[in-house]
Amino acid sequence: MIDRLFLRHPRSVGETYAQHAGVAFGFGARMIVGGVAAMVHGVVPVLCTRTASNTVKALYGRMKSRQPNFAEQPPAFTEPKWQLEYEI
């Protein structure tokens, strides 16, 4: 039970529990900051004009780079269908 709940997934991505927790908390903190920036932008549109968009792009790039076959595939956000017409 302990293995299934806490160890199997981190091991499957080549990390210890502590390493995986650190990465997950880092991603979560960046998402919270980006989300707060998006809410600030919603209230005062001149503020944080690209913070949320840049956060999403950075997190996507970081997540993709952690995948084993990343070098063989360009990031999806460089493809035309992923290009945004506007930014939050």
Side-chain angles (χ1 to χ4, degrees):
M1 180 66 111
I2 297 288
D3 182 69
R4 185 176 64 81
L5 290 176
F6 298 102
L7 304 174
R8 188 179 300 165
H9 174 65
R11 189 171 42 241
S12 75
V13 294
E15 297 172 339
T16 66
Y17 175 80
Q19 290 169 327
H20 195 70
V23 170
F25 276 93
F27 270 83
R30 292 275 312 261
M31 286 192 279
I32 289 170
V33 169
V36 169
M39 291 187 288
V40 166
H41 175 70
V43 175
V44 184
V46 73
L47 299 177
C48 306
T49 57
R50 294 179 180 244
T51 307
S53 298
N54 288 342
T55 299
V56 170
K57 289 176 186 177
L59 288 173
Y60 175 79
R62 191 163 169 222
M63 187 173 290
K64 284 296 289 182
S65 71
R66 294 170 49 79
Q67 295 177 356
N69 61 351
F70 175 71
E72 300 154 15
Q73 300 175 1
F77 62 80
T78 62
E79 298 173 15
K81 70 178 182 179
W82 282 88
Q83 295 298 310
L84 299 176
E85 294 179 19
Y86 64 92
E87 294 194 349
I88 297 172

